[in-house]
Coordinates of all heavy atoms in Angstrom, one line a residue:
M1 N 128.2 165.9 78.3 CA 128.4 166.1 76.9 C 129.6 165.3 76.5 O 129.6 164.8 75.4 CB 128.6 167.6 76.6 CG 128.6 167.9 75.2 SD 128.6 169.6 74.8 CE 128.8 170.6 76.2
A2 N 130.7 165.2 77.4 CA 131.9 164.5 77.0 C 131.6 163.0 76.7 O 132.4 162.4 76.0 CB 132.9 164.7 78.1
V3 N 130.6 162.5 77.3 CA 130.2 161.0 77.1 C 129.3 160.8 75.9 O 129.0 159.7 75.6 CB 129.7 160.3 78.3 CG1 130.8 160.4 79.4 CG2 128.5 161.0 78.9
D4 N 128.7 161.8 75.3 CA 127.8 161.8 74.2 C 128.6 161.4 73.0 O 129.6 162.0 72.6 CB 127.2 163.2 74.0 CG 126.0 163.1 73.0 OD1 126.1 162.3 72.0 OD2 125.1 164.0 73.1
P5 N 128.1 160.3 72.3 CA 128.8 159.8 71.1 C 128.9 160.9 70.0 O 129.8 160.8 69.1 CB 128.0 158.6 70.6 CG 127.2 158.2 71.8 CD 127.0 159.4 72.7
K6 N 128.0 161.8 70.0 CA 128.0 162.9 69.1 C 129.3 163.7 69.1 O 129.8 164.2 68.1 CB 126.8 163.8 69.4 CG 126.7 165.1 68.5 CD 125.5 165.9 68.9 CE 125.3 167.1 68.1 NZ 124.1 167.9 68.5
Y7 N 129.9 163.8 70.3 CA 131.1 164.5 70.5 C 132.4 163.7 70.6 O 133.4 164.1 71.2 CB 131.0 165.4 71.7 CG 129.8 166.4 71.6 CD1 128.6 166.2 72.2 CD2 130.0 167.6 70.8 CE1 127.6 167.1 72.0 CE2 128.9 168.4 70.6 CZ 127.7 168.2 71.3 OH 126.7 169.0 71.1
A8 N 132.4 162.4 70.1 CA 133.4 161.5 70.2 C 134.8 162.1 69.7 O 135.8 161.7 70.2 CB 133.0 160.2 69.5
R9 N 134.7 162.9 68.7 CA 135.9 163.5 68.1 C 136.4 164.8 68.8 O 137.4 165.3 68.4 CB 135.7 163.8 66.6 CG 135.5 162.4 65.9 CD 135.2 162.7 64.4 NE 136.1 163.7 63.8 CZ 135.7 164.6 62.9 NH1 134.4 164.6 62.5 NH2 136.5 165.5 62.4
V10 N 135.7 165.2 69.8 CA 136.0 166.4 70.5 C 137.0 166.1 71.7 O 136.7 165.1 72.4 CB 134.7 167.2 71.1 CG1 135.1 168.3 71.9 CG2 133.8 167.5 69.9
K11 N 138.0 166.9 71.9 CA 138.8 166.7 73.1 C 138.4 167.8 74.1 O 138.4 169.0 73.8 CB 140.2 166.9 72.7 CG 140.7 165.8 71.8 CD 142.2 165.9 71.5 CE 142.6 164.8 70.5 NZ 143.9 165.0 70.1
F12 N 137.9 167.3 75.2 CA 137.4 168.2 76.3 C 138.6 168.5 77.4 O 139.3 167.5 77.7 CB 136.2 167.6 77.0 CG 135.0 167.6 76.2 CD1 134.7 166.5 75.4 CD2 134.2 168.7 76.2 CE1 133.6 166.5 74.6 CE2 133.0 168.7 75.4 CZ 132.7 167.5 74.6
A13 N 138.7 169.6 77.8 CA 139.6 170.0 78.9 C 138.8 170.8 79.9 O 138.0 171.7 79.6 CB 140.8 170.8 78.4
S14 N 139.1 170.5 81.1 CA 138.5 171.3 82.3 C 139.6 172.0 83.0 O 140.6 171.3 83.4 CB 137.7 170.3 83.2 OG 137.3 171.1 84.4
I15 N 139.6 173.3 83.2 CA 140.5 174.0 83.9 C 139.9 174.6 85.2 O 139.1 175.4 85.1 CB 141.1 175.2 83.0 CG1 141.8 174.6 81.7 CG2 142.3 175.9 83.8 CD1 142.2 175.6 80.7
C16 N 140.4 174.1 86.3 CA 139.9 174.6 87.6 C 140.7 175.8 88.0 O 142.0 175.8 88.0 CB 140.1 173.5 88.7 SG 139.6 174.0 90.2
C17 N 139.9 176.9 88.2 CA 140.5 178.2 88.6 C 140.3 178.5 90.1 O 140.5 179.6 90.4 CB 139.9 179.3 87.7 SG 140.1 179.1 86.0
D18 N 139.9 177.5 90.8 CA 139.5 177.8 92.2 C 140.5 177.3 93.1 O 141.5 177.9 93.4 CB 138.1 177.2 92.4 CG 137.5 177.7 93.7 OD1 138.0 178.7 94.3 OD2 136.4 177.1 94.1
E19 N 140.3 176.0 93.6 CA 141.2 175.5 94.5 C 141.9 174.2 94.0 O 141.2 173.4 93.4 CB 140.5 175.1 95.9 CG 139.9 176.3 96.6 CD 139.1 175.9 97.8 OE1 139.2 174.7 98.2 OE2 138.4 176.7 98.3
L20 N 143.1 174.0 94.2 CA 143.9 172.8 93.8 C 143.2 171.6 94.4 O 143.1 170.6 93.7 CB 145.4 172.9 94.1 CG 146.2 171.8 93.6 CD1 146.1 171.5 92.1 CD2 147.6 172.0 94.1
D21 N 142.9 171.6 95.6 CA 142.3 170.4 96.3 C 141.0 170.0 95.6 O 140.7 168.9 95.4 CB 142.1 170.6 97.8 CG 143.4 170.7 98.5 OD1 144.4 170.2 98.0 OD2 143.5 171.3 99.6
G22 N 140.2 171.1 95.3 CA 138.9 170.7 94.6 C 139.1 170.1 93.2 O 138.4 169.2 92.9
A23 N 140.1 170.6 92.5 CA 140.4 170.0 91.2 C 140.9 168.5 91.4 O 140.5 167.7 90.6 CB 141.5 170.8 90.5
R24 N 141.7 168.4 92.4 CA 142.3 167.0 92.6 C 141.2 166.1 93.0 O 141.1 164.9 92.6 CB 143.3 167.1 93.8 CG 144.1 165.8 94.0 CD 145.2 166.0 95.0 NE 146.2 166.8 94.5 CZ 146.7 167.9 95.1 NH1 146.2 168.3 96.3 NH2 147.7 168.7 94.6
E25 N 140.2 166.4 93.8 CA 139.0 165.6 94.1 C 138.3 165.1 92.9 O 137.9 164.0 92.8 CB 138.1 166.3 95.1 CG 138.7 166.5 96.5 CD 137.8 167.3 97.4 OE1 136.6 167.4 97.1 OE2 138.3 167.8 98.4
I26 N 138.0 166.1 92.0 CA 137.3 165.7 90.8 C 138.1 164.7 90.0 O 137.5 163.7 89.5 CB 137.1 167.0 89.9 CG1 136.0 167.8 90.6 CG2 136.6 166.6 88.5 CD1 135.8 169.2 89.9
I27 N 139.3 164.9 89.8 CA 140.2 164.0 88.9 C 140.3 162.6 89.6 O 140.3 161.6 88.9 CB 141.6 164.6 88.8 CG1 141.6 165.9 88.0 CG2 142.6 163.6 88.2 CD1 142.8 166.7 88.1
Q28 N 140.2 162.5 90.9 CA 140.4 161.3 91.6 C 139.2 160.5 91.8 O 139.1 159.6 92.6 CB 141.2 161.5 92.9 CG 142.6 162.0 92.7 CD 143.3 162.3 94.0 OE1 142.7 162.4 95.1 NE2 144.6 162.5 93.9
E29 N 138.1 160.8 91.2 CA 136.8 160.2 91.4 C 136.6 159.3 90.1 O 135.9 159.7 89.2 CB 135.6 161.1 91.5 CG 135.7 161.9 92.8 CD 134.5 162.7 93.0 OE1 133.4 162.4 92.4 OE2 134.5 163.7 93.8
P30 N 137.2 158.1 90.1 CA 137.2 157.2 88.9 C 135.8 156.7 88.6 O 135.5 156.4 87.4 CB 138.1 156.1 89.2 CG 138.2 156.1 90.7 CD 138.0 157.5 91.2
E31 N 134.9 156.6 89.5 CA 133.5 156.1 89.3 C 132.7 157.1 88.6 O 131.6 156.8 88.0 CB 132.9 155.7 90.6 CG 132.5 156.8 91.6 CD 133.7 157.3 92.4 OE1 134.8 156.7 92.4 OE2 133.5 158.2 93.2
E32 N 133.1 158.4 88.5 CA 132.3 159.3 87.8 C 132.6 159.3 86.3 O 133.5 159.9 85.9 CB 132.6 160.8 88.3 CG 132.0 161.1 89.7 CD 130.6 161.4 89.6 OE1 130.0 161.8 88.6 OE2 129.9 161.4 90.7
E33 N 131.7 158.6 85.6 CA 131.9 158.4 84.2 C 132.0 159.8 83.4 O 132.8 159.8 82.5 CB 130.8 157.6 83.5 CG 130.9 157.4 82.1 CD 129.8 156.6 81.5 OE1 128.9 156.2 82.2 OE2 129.7 156.5 80.3
R34 N 131.4 160.8 83.8 CA 131.4 162.1 83.1 C 132.8 162.7 83.1 O 133.0 163.5 82.3 CB 130.3 163.0 83.6 CG 130.6 163.5 85.0 CD 129.4 164.3 85.5 NE 129.6 164.7 86.9 CZ 129.3 165.8 87.3 NH1 128.8 166.8 86.5 NH2 129.6 166.1 88.6
W35 N 133.6 162.3 84.1 CA 134.9 163.0 84.1 C 136.0 162.2 83.4 O 137.2 162.6 83.3 CB 135.4 163.1 85.6 CG 134.4 164.0 86.4 CD1 133.7 163.7 87.5 CD2 134.2 165.4 86.2 NE1 133.0 164.8 87.9 CE2 133.2 165.9 87.1 CE3 134.6 166.4 85.2 CZ2 132.8 167.1 87.2 CZ3 134.1 167.6 85.3 CH2 133.2 168.0 86.3
Q36 N 135.7 161.0 82.9 CA 136.7 160.2 82.2 C 137.1 160.6 80.8 O 138.2 160.3 80.4 CB 136.2 158.7 82.2 CG 135.9 158.1 83.6 CD 137.1 158.3 84.5 OE1 138.2 157.9 84.3 NE2 136.8 159.0 85.6
N37 N 136.3 161.4 80.1 CA 136.6 161.8 78.8 C 137.1 163.3 78.8 O 137.0 163.9 77.7 CB 135.4 161.6 77.9 CG 135.0 160.2 77.8 OD1 135.8 159.3 77.8 ND2 133.7 160.0 77.6
I38 N 137.6 163.7 79.9 CA 138.0 165.1 80.0 C 139.4 165.2 80.6 O 139.6 164.5 81.6 CB 137.0 166.0 80.9 CG1 135.6 165.9 80.4 CG2 137.5 167.4 81.1 CD1 134.6 166.5 81.3
S39 N 140.2 166.0 80.0 CA 141.6 166.3 80.6 C 141.4 167.3 81.6 O 140.8 168.4 81.3 CB 142.6 166.6 79.5 OG 142.8 165.6 78.6
H40 N 142.0 167.1 82.8 CA 141.8 168.1 83.9 C 143.1 168.9 84.2 O 144.2 168.3 84.2 CB 141.3 167.4 85.1 CG 140.0 166.8 85.0 ND1 138.8 167.4 85.2 CD2 139.6 165.5 84.6 CE1 137.8 166.6 85.0 NE2 138.3 165.5 84.6
Y41 N 143.0 170.2 84.4 CA 144.1 171.0 84.7 C 143.8 172.0 85.8 O 142.6 172.3 86.1 CB 144.5 171.8 83.4 CG 144.8 170.9 82.3 CD1 143.8 170.7 81.3 CD2 146.1 170.4 82.0 CE1 144.1 169.8 80.2 CE2 146.3 169.5 80.9 CZ 145.3 169.3 80.1 OH 145.6 168.4 79.0
F42 N 144.8 172.5 86.4 CA 144.6 173.5 87.5 C 145.3 174.8 87.0 O 146.4 174.8 86.4 CB 145.2 173.1 88.7 CG 145.2 174.2 89.8 CD1 144.0 174.5 90.5 CD2 146.4 174.9 90.1 CE1 144.0 175.5 91.4 CE2 146.4 175.9 91.1 CZ 145.2 176.2 91.7
M43 N 144.7 176.0 87.2 CA 145.2 177.3 86.9 C 145.4 178.1 88.2 O 144.4 178.3 88.9 CB 144.3 178.0 85.9 CG 144.9 179.3 85.4 SD 143.8 180.1 84.3 CE 143.8 179.1 82.9
A44 N 146.6 178.6 88.4 CA 146.9 179.4 89.6 C 146.1 180.7 89.5 O 145.8 181.2 88.4 CB 148.4 179.7 89.8
H45 N 145.9 181.4 90.6 CA 145.0 182.6 90.6 C 145.7 183.7 89.7 O 144.9 184.3 89.0 CB 145.0 183.2 92.1 CG 144.3 184.4 92.2 ND1 142.9 184.5 92.1 CD2 144.7 185.7 92.3 CE1 142.5 185.8 92.2 NE2 143.6 186.5 92.3
E46 N 146.9 183.8 89.7 CA 147.5 184.9 88.8 C 147.3 184.6 87.4 O 147.0 185.5 86.6 CB 149.1 185.0 89.1 CG 149.8 183.8 88.8 CD 151.2 183.7 89.3 OE1 151.3 183.8 90.5 OE2 152.2 183.6 88.5
H47 N 147.3 183.4 87.0 CA 147.0 183.0 85.6 C 145.5 183.1 85.2 O 145.2 183.5 84.1 CB 147.5 181.6 85.2 CG 149.1 181.5 85.4 ND1 149.6 180.7 86.3 CD2 150.1 182.2 84.8 CE1 150.9 180.8 86.2 NE2 151.2 181.7 85.4
K48 N 144.7 182.8 86.2 CA 143.2 183.0 86.1 C 142.9 184.4 85.8 O 142.1 184.7 84.9 CB 142.5 182.6 87.3 CG 141.0 182.8 87.3 CD 140.3 182.3 88.5 CE 140.2 183.5 89.5 NZ 139.3 183.2 90.6
E49 N 143.6 185.4 86.5 CA 143.3 186.8 86.2 C 143.7 187.2 84.8 O 143.0 188.0 84.2 CB 144.0 187.7 87.2 CG 143.5 187.5 88.7 CD 141.9 187.7 88.7 OE1 141.4 188.7 88.2 OE2 141.2 186.9 89.4
I50 N 144.8 186.6 84.3 CA 145.2 186.9 82.9 C 144.2 186.4 81.9 O 143.8 187.0 81.0 CB 146.6 186.3 82.7 CG1 147.6 187.1 83.5 CG2 147.0 186.4 81.2 CD1 149.0 186.4 83.5
A51 N 143.7 185.1 82.2 CA 142.8 184.5 81.3 C 141.5 185.2 81.3 O 140.9 185.4 80.2 CB 142.6 183.0 81.7
K52 N 141.1 185.7 82.4 CA 139.9 186.5 82.5 C 139.9 187.8 81.6 O 139.0 188.1 80.9 CB 139.5 186.9 83.9 CG 139.0 185.8 84.7 CD 138.9 186.1 86.2 CE 138.1 187.2 86.6 NZ 138.0 187.4 88.1
K53 N 141.1 188.4 81.6 CA 141.3 189.6 80.8 C 141.4 189.3 79.4 O 140.7 190.0 78.5 CB 142.6 190.3 81.3 CG 142.4 191.1 82.6 CD 143.7 191.7 83.0 CE 143.6 192.3 84.4 NZ 144.9 192.9 84.8
V54 N 142.1 188.2 79.0 CA 142.3 187.8 77.6 C 141.0 187.4 77.0 O 140.6 187.7 75.9 CB 143.4 186.8 77.4 CG1 143.5 186.3 76.0 CG2 144.7 187.4 77.8
L55 N 140.3 186.5 77.7 CA 139.1 185.9 77.2 C 137.8 186.6 77.6 O 136.7 186.4 77.0 CB 139.0 184.4 77.6 CG 140.1 183.5 77.2 CD1 140.0 182.1 77.9 CD2 140.1 183.4 75.6
G56 N 137.9 187.4 78.6 CA 136.7 188.3 78.9 C 135.7 187.5 79.7 O 134.5 187.9 79.7
F57 N 136.1 186.5 80.4 CA 135.0 185.7 81.2 C 134.9 186.3 82.6 O 135.8 186.7 83.2 CB 135.2 184.2 81.2 CG 136.4 183.7 82.0 CD1 136.1 183.4 83.3 CD2 137.6 183.5 81.5 CE1 137.1 182.9 84.2 CE2 138.6 183.0 82.3 CZ 138.4 182.6 83.6
R58 N 133.6 186.2 83.0 CA 133.3 186.7 84.4 C 132.6 185.6 85.2 O 132.4 185.8 86.4 CB 132.4 187.9 84.3 CG 133.1 189.1 83.7 CD 132.2 190.3 83.6 NE 132.9 191.5 83.1 CZ 132.8 191.7 81.8 NH1 132.2 191.0 80.9 NH2 133.5 192.8 81.4
Q59 N 132.3 184.5 84.6 CA 131.6 183.4 85.3 C 132.1 182.0 84.8 O 132.7 182.0 83.8 CB 130.1 183.5 85.1 CG 129.7 183.3 83.6 CD 128.2 183.4 83.4 OE1 127.6 184.2 84.1 NE2 127.7 182.8 82.4
V60 N 131.8 181.0 85.6 CA 132.1 179.7 85.2 C 130.8 178.9 85.3 O 129.9 179.2 86.1 CB 133.2 179.1 86.2 CG1 134.5 179.7 85.9 CG2 132.8 179.1 87.6
P61 N 130.7 177.9 84.5 CA 131.6 177.5 83.5 C 131.7 178.5 82.3 O 130.7 179.1 82.0 CB 131.2 176.2 83.1 CG 129.7 176.2 83.2 CD 129.5 177.0 84.5
F62 N 132.9 178.6 81.7 CA 133.1 179.4 80.6 C 133.7 178.5 79.5 O 134.6 177.7 79.8 CB 134.1 180.5 80.9 CG 134.4 181.4 79.7 CD1 133.5 182.5 79.5 CD2 135.5 181.3 78.9 CE1 133.7 183.4 78.4 CE2 135.7 182.1 77.9 CZ 134.8 183.2 77.6
Y63 N 133.1 178.5 78.4 CA 133.6 177.6 77.3 C 134.3 178.2 76.2 O 134.0 179.4 75.8 CB 132.3 176.9 76.6 CG 131.5 176.2 77.6 CD1 130.4 176.7 78.3 CD2 131.8 174.8 78.0 CE1 129.6 176.1 79.2 CE2 131.1 174.1 78.9 CZ 130.0 174.7 79.5 OH 129.2 174.0 80.4
V64 N 135.3 177.6 75.7 CA 136.1 178.0 74.6 C 136.2 176.9 73.6 O 136.7 175.8 74.0 CB 137.5 178.5 75.0 CG1 138.4 178.9 73.8 CG2 137.5 179.6 76.0
V65 N 135.7 177.1 72.4 CA 135.7 176.0 71.3 C 136.8 176.4 70.3 O 136.7 177.5 69.7 CB 134.3 175.9 70.7 CG1 134.4 174.9 69.5 CG2 133.2 175.7 71.7
L66 N 137.8 175.5 70.2 CA 138.9 175.8 69.3 C 138.7 174.9 68.0 O 138.2 173.7 68.2 CB 140.2 175.4 70.0 CG 140.5 176.1 71.3 CD1 141.8 175.6 71.9 CD2 140.6 177.6 71.1
D67 N 139.2 175.3 67.0 CA 139.3 174.4 65.8 C 140.5 173.6 65.8 O 141.3 173.6 66.7 CB 139.0 175.2 64.5 CG 140.2 176.2 64.2 OD1 141.3 176.1 64.8 OD2 140.0 177.0 63.3
E68 N 140.7 172.8 64.7 CA 141.9 172.0 64.6 C 143.2 172.7 64.7 O 144.3 172.2 65.0 CB 141.8 171.1 63.4 CG 140.7 170.1 63.5 CD 140.4 169.4 62.2 OE1 140.7 169.9 61.1 OE2 139.8 168.2 62.2
Q69 N 143.2 174.0 64.3 CA 144.4 174.8 64.3 C 144.6 175.6 65.6 O 145.5 176.4 65.7 CB 144.3 175.8 63.1 CG 144.6 175.1 61.7 CD 143.3 174.4 61.2 OE1 142.2 174.9 61.4 NE2 143.5 173.2 60.7
G70 N 143.7 175.4 66.5 CA 143.8 176.1 67.8 C 143.2 177.5 67.7 O 143.4 178.2 68.7
K71 N 142.5 177.8 66.8 CA 141.8 179.2 66.7 C 140.5 179.1 67.3 O 139.7 178.2 67.2 CB 141.6 179.6 65.2 CG 142.9 179.9 64.5 CD 142.7 180.2 63.1 CE 144.0 180.4 62.3 NZ 143.8 180.6 60.9
I72 N 140.1 180.2 68.1 CA 138.9 180.2 68.8 C 137.7 180.4 67.8 O 137.7 181.3 67.0 CB 138.9 181.4 69.8 CG1 139.9 181.2 70.9 CG2 137.5 181.6 70.4 CD1 140.1 182.3 71.9
Q73 N 136.8 179.5 67.9 CA 135.6 179.5 67.0 C 134.4 180.1 67.8 O 133.6 180.8 67.2 CB 135.3 178.1 66.5 CG 136.4 177.5 65.7 CD 136.5 178.3 64.4 OE1 135.6 178.6 63.7 NE2 137.8 178.7 64.1
Q74 N 134.3 179.8 69.1 CA 133.2 180.2 69.9 C 133.8 180.4 71.4 O 134.7 179.6 71.7 CB 132.0 179.3 70.0 CG 131.4 179.1 68.7 CD 130.1 178.2 68.9 OE1 129.2 178.6 69.6 NE2 130.2 177.0 68.4
M75 N 133.2 181.2 72.1 CA 133.5 181.2 73.5 C 132.3 181.9 74.3 O 131.6 182.8 73.7 CB 134.9 181.9 73.9 CG 135.0 183.3 73.5 SD 136.6 183.8 73.9 CE 136.6 185.5 73.3
G76 N 132.2 181.5 75.5 CA 131.1 182.1 76.3 C 130.5 181.2 77.3 O 131.0 180.1 77.6
S77 N 129.3 181.5 77.8 CA 128.6 180.7 78.7 C 127.8 179.6 77.9 O 127.8 179.6 76.7 CB 127.7 181.5 79.6 OG 126.6 182.0 78.7
S78 N 127.2 178.7 78.6 CA 126.4 177.7 78.0 C 125.2 178.3 77.3 O 124.6 177.7 76.4 CB 125.9 176.7 79.0 OG 125.1 177.3 80.0
K79 N 124.8 179.5 77.6 CA 123.7 180.2 76.9 C 124.2 180.8 75.6 O 123.3 181.0 74.7 CB 123.2 181.3 77.8 CG 122.5 180.8 79.0 CD 121.9 181.9 79.9 CE 121.3 181.3 81.1 NZ 120.7 182.3 82.0
T80 N 125.5 181.1 75.4 CA 125.9 181.7 74.2 C 126.7 180.8 73.3 O 126.7 181.2 72.1 CB 126.9 183.0 74.6 OG1 128.0 182.5 75.3 CG2 126.1 184.0 75.3
V81 N 127.3 179.7 73.7 CA 128.0 178.7 72.9 C 126.9 177.8 72.3 O 126.1 177.2 73.0 CB 129.0 178.0 73.6 CG1 129.6 176.9 72.8 CG2 130.1 179.0 74.1
D82 N 127.0 177.6 70.9 CA 126.1 176.7 70.2 C 126.8 175.4 70.1 O 127.6 175.2 69.2 CB 125.7 177.3 68.9 CG 124.7 176.4 68.2 OD1 124.4 175.3 68.6 OD2 124.2 176.9 67.1
F83 N 126.6 174.4 70.9 CA 127.2 173.1 70.9 C 126.8 172.3 69.7 O 127.4 171.2 69.5 CB 127.1 172.4 72.2 CG 127.7 173.1 73.4 CD1 127.0 173.9 74.2 CD2 129.1 173.0 73.5 CE1 127.7 174.5 75.3 CE2 129.8 173.7 74.5 CZ 129.0 174.4 75.4
D84 N 125.7 172.7 69.0 CA 125.3 172.0 67.8 C 126.0 172.6 66.6 O 125.8 172.1 65.4 CB 123.8 172.1 67.6 CG 123.1 171.3 68.7 OD1 123.6 170.2 69.1 OD2 122.0 171.7 69.2
D85 N 126.8 173.5 66.8 CA 127.5 174.2 65.7 C 129.0 174.2 65.9 O 129.7 175.2 66.1 CB 127.0 175.6 65.5 CG 127.6 176.3 64.2 OD1 128.1 175.5 63.3 OD2 127.6 177.5 64.2
I86 N 129.6 173.0 66.0 CA 131.0 172.9 66.1 C 131.6 172.3 64.8 O 131.3 171.2 64.4 CB 131.4 172.0 67.3 CG1 130.8 172.5 68.6 CG2 132.9 171.8 67.4 CD1 131.0 171.6 69.8
P87 N 132.3 173.1 64.0 CA 132.7 172.7 62.7 C 133.5 171.4 62.7 O 134.4 171.2 63.5 CB 133.6 173.9 62.3 CG 133.2 175.1 63.0 CD 132.7 174.5 64.3
G88 N 133.1 170.5 61.8 CA 133.8 169.2 61.7 C 133.4 168.2 62.8 O 133.8 167.1 62.7
V89 N 132.6 168.6 63.7 CA 132.3 167.7 64.8 C 130.7 167.5 64.9 O 130.2 166.5 64.5 CB 132.8 168.1 66.1 CG1 132.4 167.2 67.2 CG2 134.3 168.2 66.0
A90 N 130.1 168.5 65.3 CA 128.6 168.5 65.5 C 127.9 168.8 64.2 O 126.7 168.6 64.0 CB 128.1 169.4 66.6
R91 N 128.6 169.4 63.2 CA 128.1 169.5 61.8 C 129.3 169.3 60.9 O 130.4 169.6 61.2 CB 127.5 170.9 61.7 CG 128.5 172.1 61.7 CD 127.8 173.4 61.4 NE 128.7 174.5 61.6 CZ 129.6 175.0 60.8 NH1 129.8 174.5 59.6 NH2 130.4 176.1 61.1
P92 N 129.0 168.8 59.7 CA 130.1 168.6 58.7 C 130.8 169.9 58.3 O 130.2 171.0 58.3 CB 129.4 167.9 57.5 CG 128.1 167.4 58.1 CD 127.7 168.3 59.2
K93 N 132.1 169.8 58.0 CA 132.8 171.0 57.5 C 132.2 171.5 56.3 O 131.7 170.7 55.5 CB 134.3 170.6 57.3 CG 135.1 170.4 58.5 CD 136.5 170.0 58.2 CE 137.3 169.8 59.4 NZ 138.6 169.4 59.1
G94 N 132.2 172.8 56.2 CA 131.6 173.4 54.9 C 130.2 173.8 55.0 O 129.7 174.4 54.1
E95 N 129.5 173.3 56.0 CA 128.0 173.7 56.1 C 127.8 175.0 56.6 O 128.5 175.5 57.5 CB 127.3 172.7 56.9 CG 127.0 171.4 56.1 CD 126.0 170.5 57.0 OE1 125.3 171.0 57.9 OE2 125.9 169.3 56.6

């Protein structure tokens, strides 16, 4: 999705909640085009547990869609987030 021109104005971030080495391997694979349009971060176990409580996620991947002011617009699994309904990006504002 990060390489799809439809989402050119979207900033993608991937937060690895598992192993630091696994996150590092993904970041260091420059030939993987799909990883080039995503900022990668690592989250320690203690912070992952806080995020799980605050956001209510139990599985990965878990998506959080923020608006330009940083407010959560959608969150959930790929089955619950509507990627065709991202205000100002996948649909014009005000629709």
